Amino acid sequence: MKTEFSLAQLADPDIAQADKILRACVHCGFCTATCPTYVLLGDELDSPRGRIYLIKEMLEKDQTPTAEVVKHIDRCLSCLSCMTTCPSGVNYMHLVDQARVRIEQRYQRPLTERLLRQLLAYVLPDPQRFRISMRLARLARPFAVFLPTPRPSATPGLIQRLKAMLALAPNRLPPPGALPGSVFAARGKKRGRVALLQGCAQQVLAPRINQAAISLLTRHGIEVVLVRDEQCCGALTHHLGNDQDALARARANVTAWQKEAAGEGLDAILVTASGCGTVIKDYGYLLREDAAFADDAAMVSALAKDITEYVAGLGLEQVARQDNIVVAYHSACSLQHGQKITGLPKELLSKNGFVVKDVPESHLCCGSAGTYNILQPELAGRLRDRKVANIASVKPDMIAAGNIGCMVQIASGTSVPVVHTIELLDWATGGSRPALSASS
């Protein structure tokens, strides 16, 4: 794709990167076939190729984003399926992230939308605030029926978004998990030492996931530390276009993990929420222009691993095969497209006795995508229903996934139990049986 940035514009490292990305695009359109919003809506501007044209014009002409541009960028899930499909290696992720930052800096959203986005950015990255909000949402949910039914609109309104938010609140919350700063000793001969990302929403909604990871890791000789000064990974505010907040969180985490690595040592930083893992693995890029953090951020990105990447090298000691349990494996977008981890989780499940079934249209997003199921509830609901129907077609006993957002989204549309991949691997290697309920 031909670009026409001025030399002054190209002096900006972000614009220079955007120019490189845009020039890699050859207009082939392969991305349209695997883009969830294009599949649903059939609008070229709701495809990666269409959005690339919109972003190119906005950046080249240094324009204030228009309502039309914002509408189509907001509809993007950042599922990154287009990057898997693209034969030219276009890094759409870094391009759309840059567009979102520009929108948040230069576009004046309606007041109610600004307030909602600020609320999400304030509550979701903080486990204590999130826990309180979930309790309040549970109390408010019965009153959702009294909210008026909004008229169909290209852009969802506040009432529609509030209804979606209340619908996602769980019936009950589990007790909190282990405290930051906790260290879990390896059992038997110590083989390694890792930091385990504690997460934000996950530690409130499903602390059992990290409990299963700790159980499996320590049983296989790995010491696990929950780093005390760790923060939210920054993914949520990053995808909302609030780069200042996201980069501040990234710097805080780089500092905390680098300190831990320099002290007792770390073999890896393990992540059980793949949406977080994709962003942490990108810290080196995000902080590349920050002289004080660039080297340490690159080190952190190199240490970051999805939990399945790490346990695959442990030689799991199988205790009880579960050959009669059929598992539909949902490949989270952030794992298969963002981190290019596709077959490994399924191989681990199969080797440890589960009957693993591929889900049709596995490349399509479930509609969770961070806060997408709140900010774009109609599209998210259609994608969830499509995903659930595809899962049902393989008649599973359980659904396994590697990302808490996907788990909550899918569980809201099915009665089939949804569990994390690491829970099944922990069970197969001597841990506890996962709680088998769709809302667990």
Side-chain angles (χ1 to χ4, degrees), residues 137-151:
R138 186 179 59 194
L139 294 174
R141 190 164 52 189
F143 300 98
V145 295
F146 299 109
L147 292 173
T149 301
R151 288 177 294 182

PDB file of all heavy atoms in Angstrom, residues 137-151:
ATOM      1  N   ALA A 137     -23.589  -5.360  41.328  1.00  0.00           N
ATOM      2  CA  ALA A 137     -24.280  -5.779  40.097  1.00  0.00           C
ATOM      3  C   ALA A 137     -25.246  -6.916  40.374  1.00  0.00           C
ATOM      4  O   ALA A 137     -26.350  -6.961  39.815  1.00  0.00           O
ATOM      5  CB  ALA A 137     -23.260  -6.192  39.046  1.00  0.00           C
ATOM      6  N   ARG A 138     -24.837  -7.828  41.237  1.00  0.00           N
ATOM      7  CA  ARG A 138     -25.715  -8.946  41.574  1.00  0.00           C
ATOM      8  C   ARG A 138     -26.990  -8.443  42.256  1.00  0.00           C
ATOM      9  O   ARG A 138     -28.093  -8.951  42.016  1.00  0.00           O
ATOM     10  CB  ARG A 138     -24.975  -9.920  42.491  1.00  0.00           C
ATOM     11  CG  ARG A 138     -25.734 -11.199  42.801  1.00  0.00           C
ATOM     12  CD  ARG A 138     -24.910 -12.095  43.698  1.00  0.00           C
ATOM     13  NE  ARG A 138     -24.580 -11.435  44.955  1.00  0.00           N
ATOM     14  CZ  ARG A 138     -23.662 -11.868  45.819  1.00  0.00           C
ATOM     15  NH1 ARG A 138     -22.967 -12.943  45.533  1.00  0.00           N
ATOM     16  NH2 ARG A 138     -23.435 -11.232  46.939  1.00  0.00           N
ATOM     17  N   LEU A 139     -26.861  -7.427  43.125  1.00  0.00           N
ATOM     18  CA  LEU A 139     -28.033  -6.856  43.796  1.00  0.00           C
ATOM     19  C   LEU A 139     -28.918  -6.093  42.818  1.00  0.00           C
ATOM     20  O   LEU A 139     -30.155  -6.092  42.942  1.00  0.00           O
ATOM     21  CB  LEU A 139     -27.573  -5.923  44.919  1.00  0.00           C
ATOM     22  CG  LEU A 139     -26.847  -6.579  46.100  1.00  0.00           C
ATOM     23  CD1 LEU A 139     -26.334  -5.518  47.059  1.00  0.00           C
ATOM     24  CD2 LEU A 139     -27.764  -7.552  46.828  1.00  0.00           C
ATOM     25  N   ALA A 140     -28.288  -5.458  41.827  1.00  0.00           N
ATOM     26  CA  ALA A 140     -29.040  -4.629  40.885  1.00  0.00           C
ATOM     27  C   ALA A 140     -29.678  -5.437  39.762  1.00  0.00           C
ATOM     28  O   ALA A 140     -30.633  -4.960  39.127  1.00  0.00           O
ATOM     29  CB  ALA A 140     -28.113  -3.563  40.283  1.00  0.00           C
ATOM     30  N   ARG A 141     -29.189  -6.634  39.515  1.00  0.00           N
ATOM     31  CA  ARG A 141     -29.640  -7.398  38.349  1.00  0.00           C
ATOM     32  C   ARG A 141     -31.155  -7.630  38.300  1.00  0.00           C
ATOM     33  O   ARG A 141     -31.755  -7.539  37.216  1.00  0.00           O
ATOM     34  CB  ARG A 141     -28.889  -8.726  38.274  1.00  0.00           C
ATOM     35  CG  ARG A 141     -29.108  -9.465  36.970  1.00  0.00           C
ATOM     36  CD  ARG A 141     -28.066 -10.541  36.768  1.00  0.00           C
ATOM     37  NE  ARG A 141     -27.961 -11.423  37.923  1.00  0.00           N
ATOM     38  CZ  ARG A 141     -27.005 -12.333  38.078  1.00  0.00           C
ATOM     39  NH1 ARG A 141     -26.068 -12.452  37.159  1.00  0.00           N
ATOM     40  NH2 ARG A 141     -26.978 -13.101  39.132  1.00  0.00           N
ATOM     41  N   PRO A 142     -31.835  -7.941  39.418  1.00  0.00           N
ATOM     42  CA  PRO A 142     -33.285  -8.144  39.324  1.00  0.00           C
ATOM     43  C   PRO A 142     -34.046  -6.924  38.812  1.00  0.00           C
ATOM     44  O   PRO A 142     -35.153  -7.051  38.287  1.00  0.00           O
ATOM     45  CB  PRO A 142     -33.677  -8.458  40.778  1.00  0.00           C
ATOM     46  CG  PRO A 142     -32.438  -8.988  41.402  1.00  0.00           C
ATOM     47  CD  PRO A 142     -31.329  -8.226  40.763  1.00  0.00           C
ATOM     48  N   PHE A 143     -33.448  -5.741  38.966  1.00  0.00           N
ATOM     49  CA  PHE A 143     -34.132  -4.522  38.545  1.00  0.00           C
ATOM     50  C   PHE A 143     -33.881  -4.194  37.065  1.00  0.00           C
ATOM     51  O   PHE A 143     -34.432  -3.222  36.542  1.00  0.00           O
ATOM     52  CB  PHE A 143     -33.680  -3.345  39.416  1.00  0.00           C
ATOM     53  CG  PHE A 143     -33.971  -3.546  40.884  1.00  0.00           C
ATOM     54  CD1 PHE A 143     -32.987  -4.009  41.746  1.00  0.00           C
ATOM     55  CD2 PHE A 143     -35.243  -3.310  41.392  1.00  0.00           C
ATOM     56  CE1 PHE A 143     -33.252  -4.203  43.093  1.00  0.00           C
ATOM     57  CE2 PHE A 143     -35.520  -3.506  42.732  1.00  0.00           C
ATOM     58  CZ  PHE A 143     -34.532  -3.952  43.596  1.00  0.00           C
ATOM     59  N   ALA A 144     -33.043  -5.001  36.410  1.00  0.00           N
ATOM     60  CA  ALA A 144     -32.732  -4.749  35.001  1.00  0.00           C
ATOM     61  C   ALA A 144     -33.967  -4.857  34.117  1.00  0.00           C
ATOM     62  O   ALA A 144     -34.043  -4.215  33.064  1.00  0.00           O
ATOM     63  CB  ALA A 144     -31.649  -5.708  34.518  1.00  0.00           C
ATOM     64  N   VAL A 145     -34.957  -5.649  34.545  1.00  0.00           N
ATOM     65  CA  VAL A 145     -36.180  -5.833  33.742  1.00  0.00           C
ATOM     66  C   VAL A 145     -36.976  -4.534  33.635  1.00  0.00           C
ATOM     67  O   VAL A 145     -37.801  -4.376  32.726  1.00  0.00           O
ATOM     68  CB  VAL A 145     -37.075  -6.943  34.337  1.00  0.00           C
ATOM     69  CG1 VAL A 145     -36.372  -8.282  34.264  1.00  0.00           C
ATOM     70  CG2 VAL A 145     -37.467  -6.625  35.775  1.00  0.00           C
ATOM     71  N   PHE A 146     -36.735  -3.608  34.563  1.00  0.00           N
ATOM     72  CA  PHE A 146     -37.475  -2.346  34.541  1.00  0.00           C
ATOM     73  C   PHE A 146     -36.821  -1.303  33.631  1.00  0.00           C
ATOM     74  O   PHE A 146     -37.397  -0.241  33.402  1.00  0.00           O
ATOM     75  CB  PHE A 146     -37.601  -1.791  35.966  1.00  0.00           C
ATOM     76  CG  PHE A 146     -38.348  -2.700  36.902  1.00  0.00           C
ATOM     77  CD1 PHE A 146     -37.683  -3.371  37.910  1.00  0.00           C
ATOM     78  CD2 PHE A 146     -39.715  -2.902  36.751  1.00  0.00           C
ATOM     79  CE1 PHE A 146     -38.360  -4.218  38.768  1.00  0.00           C
ATOM     80  CE2 PHE A 146     -40.407  -3.748  37.612  1.00  0.00           C
ATOM     81  CZ  PHE A 146     -39.736  -4.415  38.624  1.00  0.00           C
ATOM     82  N   LEU A 147     -35.613  -1.609  33.153  1.00  0.00           N
ATOM     83  CA  LEU A 147     -34.965  -0.688  32.221  1.00  0.00           C
ATOM     84  C   LEU A 147     -35.666  -0.761  30.868  1.00  0.00           C
ATOM     85  O   LEU A 147     -36.040  -1.839  30.412  1.00  0.00           O
ATOM     86  CB  LEU A 147     -33.479  -1.051  32.056  1.00  0.00           C
ATOM     87  CG  LEU A 147     -32.586  -0.828  33.275  1.00  0.00           C
ATOM     88  CD1 LEU A 147     -31.182  -1.383  33.010  1.00  0.00           C
ATOM     89  CD2 LEU A 147     -32.505   0.651  33.618  1.00  0.00           C
ATOM     90  N   PRO A 148     -35.867   0.363  30.220  1.00  0.00           N
ATOM     91  CA  PRO A 148     -36.554   0.336  28.915  1.00  0.00           C
ATOM     92  C   PRO A 148     -35.750  -0.402  27.866  1.00  0.00           C
ATOM     93  O   PRO A 148     -34.522  -0.462  27.929  1.00  0.00           O
ATOM     94  CB  PRO A 148     -36.687   1.826  28.570  1.00  0.00           C
ATOM     95  CG  PRO A 148     -35.610   2.503  29.348  1.00  0.00           C
ATOM     96  CD  PRO A 148     -35.456   1.720  30.612  1.00  0.00           C
ATOM     97  N   THR A 149     -36.476  -0.962  26.908  1.00  0.00           N
ATOM     98  CA  THR A 149     -35.807  -1.641  25.800  1.00  0.00           C
ATOM     99  C   THR A 149     -35.341  -0.607  24.785  1.00  0.00           C
ATOM    100  O   THR A 149     -36.159   0.139  24.240  1.00  0.00           O
ATOM    101  CB  THR A 149     -36.766  -2.632  25.110  1.00  0.00           C
ATOM    102  OG1 THR A 149     -37.214  -3.587  26.068  1.00  0.00           O
ATOM    103  CG2 THR A 149     -36.061  -3.354  23.963  1.00  0.00           C
ATOM    104  N   PRO A 150     -34.034  -0.517  24.559  1.00  0.00           N
ATOM    105  CA  PRO A 150     -33.537   0.523  23.645  1.00  0.00           C
ATOM    106  C   PRO A 150     -33.894   0.223  22.200  1.00  0.00           C
ATOM    107  O   PRO A 150     -34.020  -0.938  21.800  1.00  0.00           O
ATOM    108  CB  PRO A 150     -32.021   0.476  23.861  1.00  0.00           C
ATOM    109  CG  PRO A 150     -31.744  -0.903  24.352  1.00  0.00           C
ATOM    110  CD  PRO A 150     -32.952  -1.322  25.135  1.00  0.00           C
ATOM    111  N   ARG A 151     -34.040   1.273  21.416  1.00  0.00           N
ATOM    112  CA  ARG A 151     -34.300   1.100  19.992  1.00  0.00           C
ATOM    113  C   ARG A 151     -33.015   0.656  19.285  1.00  0.00           C
ATOM    114  O   ARG A 151     -31.910   1.008  19.719  1.00  0.00           O
ATOM    115  CB  ARG A 151     -34.787   2.406  19.384  1.00  0.00           C
ATOM    116  CG  ARG A 151     -36.201   2.782  19.807  1.00  0.00           C
ATOM    117  CD  ARG A 151     -36.617   4.115  19.228  1.00  0.00           C
ATOM    118  NE  ARG A 151     -35.835   5.209  19.763  1.00  0.00           N
ATOM    119  CZ  ARG A 151     -36.024   6.485  19.444  1.00  0.00           C
ATOM    120  NH1 ARG A 151     -36.966   6.815  18.563  1.00  0.00           N
ATOM    121  NH2 ARG A 151     -35.284   7.429  19.989  1.00  0.00           N
TER     122      ARG A 151
END
